[in-house]
Amino acid sequence: MLMNLIHFVISIWVPLVCALIIVAVLPLVAGYIVLMERKVMADMQARLGPMRVGPHGLLQPIADALKLLIKEDIIPDEADKVIFWFAPLISVTAAMLAMSALAIGPWFQIAELNVGLLFIVGISALGIFGIVLGGWSSNSHYSLLGALRSAAQLVSYETAAGMAIVGGLLIAGTLSTREIVEAQSDYGWWFGLVTPVGFFVYIVASIAETNRAPFDLPEAESELVAGYMTEYSGFRWALYFLAEYTNMVVVASIATTLFLGGWLRPFAGTAAFNFLDYVPSLLMLGVGGYCFYRAPKQPVKVQSLFMMAVGLLFVVVAIVLAVPLIPAVDELLPGLMPGLHGAFWFLLKVGLYIYVFMWLRFTFPRYRFDQLMRLGWQFLIPLSIVNVMGVGMALVLHRHWGWGHLPAFGLTTLLTLAVAGWLGWESEKKDKEHVFVGEA
Amino acid sequence: MIPTSHYLFLGMVLFTIGVIGVVTRRNVIIILMSIELMLNAVNINLVAFSRLVGSAEGHAFAIFIITDAAAEAAVGLGIIIAFFRNRETLLGDEMDLLKW
Amino acid sequence: MIDQIVFYFFAALAIVSAILVVTRRNVVQSAIFLITALLATAGIFLELHAEFLFIVQVILYAGGIMVLFVFVIMLINMDVSLHQIQFNRQWWLGLLLALVVGAELTIAIAIGRSHLSLGEPAPASALEPSTQLVGKVLFSEYMLPFEIASILLLVAMIGAVVMAKKKI
């Protein structure tokens, strides 16, 4: 029986290593996404952001993590201690578990489930419990109201996000994350271009799913103090924050897999665009060069050494990415090119999606809660249902009646946009009517 | 390979625990939760037999049962909320307006 | 062998959680243990190679119905119920009858185990790919129950909204 167990462990060591990498690396990545957000916020507000802690603020997340770890752990007096302790763990576990079905490149996937995409949606639904139980166990009015509002928002937009995903899945024909990307490679076009309305609905619904602005009423500072996170301090709050940013990465990864082509290069099929294969290395070289350029200008000697080390790291990554481009290496190890470049393109697309999230955060004012619910239930859900019907109709036109791709999908996209315009006009009218929030 | 009778036994145990919950507890919300336990036990049976035969009909029926459970939980909780608003009680013993 | 470890783990988790659901005084703790029991049942479905049902159970049951339960529990003030008597007066009779039913079913399974053809289950490949097979069955043979289930859900939605309104 021990031999059986050892055989089993040997057969799963690759997913195990990938899982360990994710669990170890993800908190660091989430911390650097926080730094990215502060830098992007600063850039859009015409200032510089954190510059002091490391060169250009690069060590800021580590300083923040240390500070949060050494803070005092305050638990409210009448709080239910077990659930108070347990709630952030549910959020973090759900967020990290959802990362396990993603295919970050053709090589890096922990579990190839044949219901992969639905698994990620379902596990994200379990994260709602972390929020509700956290808000309830704090024994505070603000926390409970914030938690219930947040959970109501999440449940509403989860339906819209799910239906938008179904629109893309109809074309893909499969739920497995790896096969969806391969279907996009066979189809020739990214599914975000084939169902733009579904992609738009998914973007909006995913912003609401992760409690980001402009849908961040439950955790806005001027509203309910901090919503369900009010009574959490120190490391527990850091766990909630980590869960929120991991959710952002998960949601961006779903959108990348289903709508943005996964690990495929732009124009993957056409040979005319093969010069795009040099873009990864050139990009990394450019960033490394910028680091070397800024290194002598740092005020402190240690910081310039650190900056040069970062520049060197980027140059090494550029060289690693350039290795598969040599024809000799490509013949020897044919899987190297899709593996490395695929991971790069996937991470680049995820990064761009998260940048769009941050861009939207610093552009739009916040939605009021009833406006939020009206947008979810009376605009996005009917629109996503009509989108599913439209995609189905387009597939029937294309496969059974023999229309081409462009006429079929173009026609249904126009029809769906017409319905969207009508729905938007209707819900605007209703918003202007109900100035008072009357009795339900 | 797990014999099908093991799954039937598990379903039976869960069903019995659900029945105990329904006939023994006073709080109506716990009674509703025990009903959900019973429905789950039935689902386990269905899926075990579906695996035995090798067809997906048991799965389809289990999906219907989950749908039913959702509808029943929603309406049941709505009734409980309406009753609680009027009578301020959650005990099944005290919901006796129709008794003579 | 991995099969057996997974099955016994999820079965034990389900039974322990179910017992805790039925016996806890605090309703929130009962709800949490019901979530655990539902997730354990989902694990059993996964072990039976019913992947679609596993994920439907997680999304709908644990992620939908239980969120509804937890919402209602938190909106209704339950502090009073912590000090009331939990079990009703004829609890011994209920327990006895439930155990009698359980014993009957155990005997039925034990005797029937050899008589019915509860032999080797079908190979796992007969149930792959789970989603497509369920979809095929659901939309061809069971189309009418599917449509009726959708009308049932509509009626339940309207019913729940009407029941919980303050003024109709």
Side-chain angles (χ1 to χ4, degrees):
Chain A
M1 189 173 113
L2 193 57
M3 283 311 294
N4 259 342
L5 210 53
I6 296 180
H7 275 300
F8 179 65
V9 169
I10 292 180
S11 71
I12 60 165
W13 74 274
V14 166
L16 211 58
V17 164
C18 292
L20 281 172
I21 291 178
I22 283 194
V23 170
V25 161
L26 208 57
L28 203 64
V29 168
Y32 276 94
I33 295 181
V34 175
L35 177 68
M36 175 181 160
E37 169 153 30
R38 290 175 70 173
K39 288 295 219 182
V40 167
M41 174 184 343
D43 186 40
M44 294 190 181
Q45 294 170 353
R47 54 186 177 89
L48 281 175
M51 293 285 280
R52 214 171 266 280
V53 182
H56 282 264
L58 282 175
L59 289 177
Q60 180 78 32
I62 302 183
D64 277 337
L66 277 175
K67 175 203 81 170
L68 285 169
L69 276 171
I70 61 181
K71 261 193 170 181
E72 179 187 358
D73 189 23
I74 304 177
I75 302 184
D77 202 16
E78 304 260 325
D80 192 332
K81 293 198 176 20
V82 174
I83 301 183
F84 191 82
W85 170 83
F86 200 59
L89 295 182
I90 301 180
S91 277
V92 172
T93 309
M96 289 208 186
L97 199 56
M99 301 265 330
S100 65
L102 294 170
I104 295 185
W107 285 356
F108 196 91
Q109 186 178 24
I110 298 180
E112 170 137 18
L113 303 170
N114 58 357
V115 285
L117 215 62
L118 215 53
F119 175 77
I120 303 176
V121 171
I123 299 291
S124 306
L126 284 183
I128 298 180
F129 282 119
I131 294 176
V132 172
L133 291 174
W136 177 78
S137 67
S138 306
N139 199 30
S140 143
H141 292 294
Y142 294 130
S143 305
L144 186 60
L145 279 177
L148 290 175
R149 272 190 182 176
S150 179
Q153 171 186 331
L154 285 173
V155 163
S156 320
Y157 283 88
E158 179 182 279
T159 315
M163 300 291 278
I165 289 182
V166 166
L169 285 176
L170 277 175
I171 314 177
T174 169
L175 277 170
S176 157
T177 41
R178 177 181 295 260
E179 290 179 26
I180 289 177
V181 179
E182 287 170 9
Q184 284 182 76
S185 152
D186 292 335
Y187 200 80
W189 290 97
W190 292 352
F191 291 157
L193 296 172
V194 177
T195 54
V197 182
F199 186 33
F200 168 74
V201 170
Y202 189 73
I203 294 180
V204 177
S206 61
I207 300 180
E209 270 293 299
T210 45
N211 272 339
R212 297 279 299 175
F215 298 110
D216 65 347
L217 195 75
E219 50 181 52
E221 271 145 34
S222 53
E223 299 291 332
L224 283 172
V225 192
Y228 62 93
M229 290 197 258
T230 312
E231 303 289 339
Y232 284 87
S233 61
F235 200 61
R236 300 179 201 276
W237 180 82
L239 282 178
Y240 266 127
F241 221 56
L242 170 66
E244 176 173 330
Y245 280 89
T246 310
N247 258 329
M248 252 169 59
V249 173
V250 166
V251 144
S253 305
I254 299 178
T256 307
T257 307
L258 189 57
F259 292 113
L260 287 177
W263 64 70
L264 300 172
R265 193 196 76 200
F267 301 106
T270 4
F273 283 90
N274 270 351
F275 67 90
L276 285 175
D277 275 334
Y278 295 96
V279 166
S281 328
L282 288 177
L283 202 62
M284 291 285 136
L285 268 179
V287 176
Y290 180 73
C291 291
F292 281 127
Y293 167 68
R294 292 291 300 176
K297 305 196 179 173
Q298 297 297 316
V300 179
K301 188 74 189 301
V302 174
Q303 284 188 352
S304 34
L305 284 174
F306 186 72
M307 203 66 170
M308 280 206 245
V310 170
L312 197 60
L313 180 68
F314 275 109
V315 168
V316 164
V317 171
I319 294 178
V320 166
L321 281 173
V323 159
L325 290 172
I326 308 173
V329 176
D330 203 23
E331 278 170 25
L332 198 59
L333 303 161
L336 199 61
M337 169 84 162
L340 285 176
H341 280 236
F344 173 82
W345 286 113
F346 190 91
L347 293 172
L348 184 71
K349 289 174 197 173
V350 166
L352 280 175
Y353 198 84
I354 294 181
Y355 179 76
V356 168
F357 268 19
M358 295 177 184
W359 193 0
L360 291 172
R361 173 180 180 176
F362 303 121
T363 314
F364 291 115
R366 198 171 282 141
Y367 269 92
R368 213 173 56 225
F369 195 66
D370 61 313
Q371 289 172 332
L372 203 156
M373 295 306 260
R374 175 171 304 119
L375 183 73
W377 285 100
Q378 295 182 3
F379 181 67
L380 282 182
I381 290 185
L383 182 59
S384 56
I385 295 178
V386 168
N387 177 49
V388 169
M389 292 199 291
V391 169
M393 206 161 68
L395 284 174
V396 164
L397 286 175
H398 171 59
R399 287 184 192 160
H400 289 262
W401 286 14
W403 288 31
H405 282 171
L406 192 56
F409 282 103
L411 178 65
T412 50
T413 308
L414 284 173
L415 288 174
T416 319
L417 280 173
V419 172
W422 176 73
L423 278 171
W425 184 63
E426 279 289 315
S427 74
E428 273 293 302
K429 238 173 33 174
K430 281 210 175 68
D431 193 27
K432 286 184 172 51
E433 271 174 25
H434 290 173
V435 178
F436 309 102
V437 180
E439 264 194 343
Chain B
M1 212 26 48
I2 313 276
T4 312
S5 55
H6 283 36
Y7 291 104
L8 297 183
F9 191 70
L10 172 67
M12 186 275 301
V13 169
L14 284 177
F15 191 82
T16 313
I17 296 176
V19 169
I20 294 177
V22 169
V23 302
T24 316
R25 295 290 303 243
R26 285 170 94 197
N27 196 336
V28 252
I29 296 193
I30 307 258
I31 294 180
L32 265 181
M33 289 202 250
S34 311
I35 296 181
E36 304 292 336
L37 265 180
M38 290 202 279
L39 290 169
N40 264 295
V42 168
N43 269 353
I44 292 181
N45 264 22
L46 272 173
V47 177
F49 274 118
S50 166
R51 170 75 204 275
L52 178 70
V53 171
S55 91
E57 299 190 356
H59 296 195
F61 204 75
I63 291 181
F64 285 131
I65 292 185
I66 295 181
T67 313
D68 251 338
E72 156 207 338
V75 175
L77 287 169
I79 294 179
I80 289 178
I81 291 181
F83 201 87
F84 185 79
R85 234 180 247 146
N86 281 324
R87 291 273 147 178
E88 286 287 325
T89 179
L90 275 175
L91 299 177
D93 298 347
E94 298 179 9
M95 298 181 177
D96 56 358
L97 286 171
L98 287 177
K99 260 187 176 172
W100 44 276
Chain C
M1 207 218 48
I2 296 298
D3 264 350
Q4 289 184 338
I5 296 181
V6 168
F7 170 71
Y8 284 120
F9 170 69
F10 280 124
L13 186 64
I15 295 178
V16 166
S17 305
I19 295 179
L20 285 170
V21 167
V22 166
T23 54
R24 299 308 288 169
R25 181 175 281 268
N26 189 348
V27 188
V28 178
Q29 289 181 3
S30 280
I32 294 178
F33 284 119
L34 185 60
I35 296 171
T36 326
L38 292 172
L39 290 175
T41 314
I44 302 263
F45 288 159
L46 190 62
E47 206 264 320
L48 279 167
H49 295 272
E51 291 116 7
F52 186 64
L53 211 57
F54 151 71
I55 201 59
V56 162
Q57 171 97 349
V58 168
I59 296 181
L60 287 186
Y61 235 129
I65 298 177
M66 287 319 295
V67 169
L68 180 62
F69 265 101
V70 167
F71 258 67
V72 169
I73 291 174
M74 288 179 185
L75 286 174
I76 294 184
N77 192 4
M78 297 255 183
D79 294 335
V80 178
S81 72
L82 283 176
H83 303 289
Q84 292 164 334
I85 305 178
Q86 296 303 309
F87 296 93
N88 53 23
R89 276 185 309 178
Q90 53 273 38
W91 64 270
W92 50 273
L93 186 61
L95 187 63
L96 186 66
L97 289 175
L99 287 175
V100 163
V101 165
E104 273 184 42
L105 288 171
T106 318
I107 296 175
I109 297 175
I111 292 181
R113 179 162 42 173
S114 48
H115 291 280
L116 304 171
S117 54
L118 291 181
E120 278 298 307
S125 55
L127 286 175
E128 310 261 333
S130 162
T131 316
Q132 274 93 315
L133 281 178
V134 170
K136 262 195 212 140
V137 167
L138 208 52
F139 288 113
S140 56
E141 287 176 44
Y142 291 100
M143 190 61 185
L144 184 62
F146 182 75
E147 300 293 336
I148 296 180
S150 65
I151 299 184
L152 173 73
L153 281 174
L154 178 68
V155 169
M157 260 202 293
I158 300 176
V161 167
V162 166
M163 288 305 303
K165 259 175 181 278
K166 283 201 174 104
K167 248 165 65 160
I168 302 180

